[in-house]
Amino acid sequence: MAKFPVTDGECAKILAASKVITADVVWTRKHNKSWATSVLPVENDLKYKLEVILTASIEEPSKFSFTLLLNGNYRIRGLDINGSHYNKCSGQQRWVGQTHKHTWQDSCPGGHAYTPIEIDGTGINETFVQFCRECNIDFRGNFKVLTGQSQLVGI
């Protein structure tokens, strides 16, 4: 098995540390044109390169996801609302159009998912704030909900 440059312990340290996002959510249409994304740098005293990636369906507003990414590669934490996934490393549990979270585990780096019980946001903005709170991130930017093509960069 390949050795990854981050461990469960380091992920726990990253999650426990205070972090801040000061950037605004600015949506950019993805190449397939049915999804939009926003990338927000996460300031932290640990000097890690962290960012939160937001992805939302333009066609189905109830489908969106958030990912806390380390060094542009390693998903420390993720939340998929109404997404599909299965655990490749253990249990083969499957989610089809269902909400699930991703956590880093040494035995299944970035890919272990489970059904959350504490996510109760009613929309993308409120759910994003809950995700940030769980990851110990203080979101100080402005959140513009993706409601139409006029909010997409480059349109």
Side-chain angles (χ1 to χ4, degrees), residues 15-150:
L15 289 170
S18 295
K19 297 169 287 300
V20 176
I21 294 174
T22 57
D24 294 339
V25 173
V26 177
W27 295 103
T28 303
R29 185 180 293 238
K30 294 183 90 169
H31 296 297
N32 66 11
K33 299 186 190 233
S34 61
W35 289 86
T37 190
S38 183
V39 179
L40 305 175
V42 179
E43 301 166 27
N44 65 94
D45 291 337
L46 299 173
K47 305 300 182 204
Y48 285 110
K49 181 188 178 227
L50 298 171
E51 55 195 0
V52 171
I53 314 287
L54 296 83
T55 306
S57 173
I58 296 168
E59 297 170 358
E60 295 181 55
S62 65
K63 291 181 80 168
F64 51 89
S65 66
F66 314 124
T67 301
L68 176 59
L69 207 58
L70 170 67
N71 294 334
N73 257 342
Y74 306 104
R75 180 174 41 194
I76 302 299
R77 186 63 50 101
L79 172 63
D80 294 335
I81 303 297
N82 299 319
S84 298
H85 175 79
Y86 73 95
N87 279 340
K88 299 173 187 166
C89 303
S90 62
Q92 301 297 308
Q93 187 173 1
R94 184 177 216 78
W95 295 265
V96 179
Q98 297 170 303
T99 297
H100 58 279
K101 282 186 179 179
H102 294 264
T103 60
W104 182 277
Q105 291 186 351
D106 292 343
S107 61
C108 191
H112 177 75
Y114 65 95
T115 302
I117 57 172
E118 68 283 353
I119 296 297
D120 59 4
T122 57
I124 189 169
N125 188 345
E126 186 177 318
T127 306
F128 178 67
V129 170
Q130 286 181 333
F131 176 79
C132 286
R133 193 176 313 125
E134 179 181 299
C135 294
N136 207 17
I137 298 171
D138 180 11
F139 177 63
R140 297 180 186 165
N142 293 310
F143 192 104
K144 291 186 180 177
V145 178
L146 181 63
T147 58
Q149 293 181 351
S150 63

